[in-house]
Amino acid sequence: MSEEKNLNFIEEIIEEDLKSGKYDCIVTRFPPEPNGYLHIGHAKAICLNFGLSKKYGGYTNLRFDDTNPVTEDTEYVESIKEDIQWLGFQWKNESYASDYFETLYGYAVKLIEKGLAYVDDSTPDEIAAMKGTPTEPGKNSPYRDRSVEENLRLFADMRSGKYSDGAKVLRAKIDMASPNMHMRDPIMYRIKHAHHHRTGDAWCIYPMYDFAHGQSDSIEQVTHSICTLEFVPHRELYDWFITQLEIFPSHQYEFARLNLNYTVMSKRKLLQLVNDKYVDGWNDPRMPTISGMRRRGYTPEAIRDFCDRIGIAKRENLIDISLLEFFVREHLNKIAIRRMVVFDSIKVVLTNYEGAVEMLEGEDNPEDENSGKRQIPFGKELYIEREDFMENPPKKYFRLYPGGMVRLKHAYIIKCEKAIKDEAGTITELHCTYIPESKSGADTSGVNVKGTLHWVEVTNAITAEVRLYDRLFKVEDPQHEEGDFKDYINPDSLQVIKTVYAEPSLKNAKMNDRYQFLRKGYFTLDNQDTHGRLLFNRTVTLKDAWAKEQKKAMNN
């Protein structure tokens, strides 16, 4: 009984369908249009479709809805396939709506022969005016009563290229007084003399989404065609076409799309950001695209857990991006390799340290007992963060200050003896002493300190560039604010630090490895060509600092 309570509404439908014997095999499909890159909203649909077929022993098809040749490109096809596989899923059959163009044309001819479709010469504006309004019925087209023979001839002429774009359309003959506007003689085919990325110039008429989609589902014998809530009004037409054509009865089910705050999820708006150079392409780490999240260092496991956690709902809601970041942090904490990197350095000179650089030992990941250890050089001169020293500290300040002591991670306790300044009064280095008996793991000094700092030994330090990413927008729901959504872009969404100092083991960093820079956040190597230099993207901070910063800003 407890398992049944955890089922979402689509799972309940599927289990009833299997129990009643309606279907022997559950078939779902993921049907993207190849006109842009997939985003986190698509990830939810991917996890749902592939997850359902896996759970119930069926399979999922990947079908590209390539019925609009003007906006589609093979670049998008390849990126979509890469994203799905990166998320951890594999489709059974790869297909394209264009594979079915001949079959769909035959279906259209069948509807004409049944007196259920006609060629209309009206202009787009005239057709729109005939549609009526949600409260007023539409008007029949003057071409609605053409004979079957004339419609067959005209439709064949449309296919042969006899007419220019927009000269004619093929419409279904349903009911111009229907309360559902989609049932008021919808357009099935339009003329478009455009080169198609797969069929070339073989076709100059293309089916509309509503005619191609359900029939493609039926051809593939998709049992549960799952889409988002905006397609609820389309379902009646989806069923009408299948019923009239007397083909396999695929059925459509709707769920709430994923809306994430502090970003936009519209492909059109995302394309604007790319074209207007607000971001560095579709895979910019600030974008909600799957490729952007991959470049930023998100893991597929975290995205799948997030999609599972938010569940499948029947009403729209706005999900807090902090929840996604929570799952990212949770997974990265388990797998990320720990390293020490200093972003804004000040030099520490250990005046009582004698001898050569020694090698200390540090755990790669304390959360994973099998992660191993690495060697960390330690010597007379070190870098620490400038923010980890204060000349006149407040009470309960546990970092370094004149006369204060701290522990260096994996190393020794040090005491600040003196701050050296230049002529302008800027502190240039700190003179400190260390306690030889305080070595981590073998401390016999008896000295207790409250603060622990990360550090990097100067002579073996390597340099790298880091990019710190934050929310792309400074308001929670930019697409519903007044004016241009681009006016709300966060000017501080990217901070570049050209030179940081890192412990030398990072020179062996590998693509797709995940790192925790101690006290700084989680990072990954940028997956673009960085011309041989080390460039790390911050995936997420160690803690959710955004809410705290927003509260502080409001109080100010």
Side-chain angles (χ1 to χ4, degrees), residues 7-148:
L7 297 177
N8 63 53
F9 75 94
I10 296 177
E11 289 171 332
E12 290 175 351
I13 292 169
I14 289 175
E15 294 210 352
E16 183 57 37
D17 287 345
L18 289 171
K19 184 179 178 182
S20 68
K22 183 176 181 180
Y23 303 114
D24 295 324
C25 179
I26 298 303
V27 181
T28 63
R29 86 289 171 267
F30 178 62
E33 182 179 357
N35 64 349
Y37 283 64
L38 299 183
H39 54 61
I40 185 67
H42 296 112
K44 178 180 177 181
I46 291 167
C47 290
L48 174 59
N49 279 290
F50 284 89
L52 288 171
S53 62
K54 182 179 179 181
K55 178 174 181 177
Y56 294 105
Y59 62 87
T60 299
N61 291 336
L62 170 61
R63 185 178 71 245
F64 291 97
D65 176 29
D66 58 344
T67 56
N68 188 1
V70 176
T71 60
E72 294 156 5
D73 196 283
T74 52
E75 172 195 348
Y76 299 135
V77 170
E78 295 307 314
S79 73
I80 287 167
K81 292 196 285 188
E82 182 182 4
D83 287 345
I84 295 170
Q85 290 173 323
W86 178 77
L87 279 172
F89 301 107
Q90 184 60 51
W91 52 92
K92 180 177 180 181
N93 301 302
E94 178 182 327
S95 61
Y96 298 77
S98 55
D99 294 337
Y100 309 132
F101 278 176
E102 195 65 53
T103 303
L104 293 172
Y105 180 84
Y107 285 161
V109 168
K110 182 176 180 179
L111 290 178
I112 293 173
E113 291 172 340
K114 293 180 73 171
L116 296 174
Y118 63 96
V119 174
D120 195 333
D121 299 3
S122 304
T123 66
D125 288 343
E126 288 170 341
I127 291 174
M130 283 183 239
K131 281 273 189 176
T133 69
T135 57
E136 296 177 355
K139 296 178 180 178
N140 288 346
S141 166
Y143 305 99
R144 198 174 194 262
D145 295 324
R146 275 176 163 158
S147 68
V148 169

Side-chain angles (χ1 to χ4, degrees), residues 143-207:
Y143 305 99
R144 198 174 194 262
D145 295 324
R146 275 176 163 158
S147 68
V148 169
E149 292 72 24
E150 185 180 8
N151 283 318
L152 288 173
R153 177 177 56 79
L154 290 172
F155 190 47
D157 288 344
M158 286 171 62
R159 175 177 180 170
S160 68
K162 187 173 180 179
Y163 307 111
S164 60
D165 289 7
K168 298 180 189 298
V169 294
L170 182 71
R171 297 177 68 180
K173 187 188 289 188
I174 308 179
D175 180 5
M176 291 301 290
S178 172
N180 183 344
M181 298 287 286
H182 292 278
M183 300 298 286
R184 296 183 184 180
D185 290 12
I187 296 172
M188 296 165 55
Y189 271 87
R190 79 283 201 202
I191 301 170
K192 192 177 288 287
H193 291 269
H195 186 81
H196 190 279
H197 72 103
R198 293 188 76 245
T199 60
D201 299 316
W203 292 86
C204 63
I205 58 170
Y206 292 94

Side-chain angles (χ1 to χ4, degrees), residues 407 412-413 435-439 442-449:
R407 174 170 291 284
Y412 300 91
I413 293 172
I435 302 175
E437 299 80 23
S438 64
K439 186 175 182 179
D443 187 350
T444 59
S445 68
V447 177
N448 292 312
V449 294

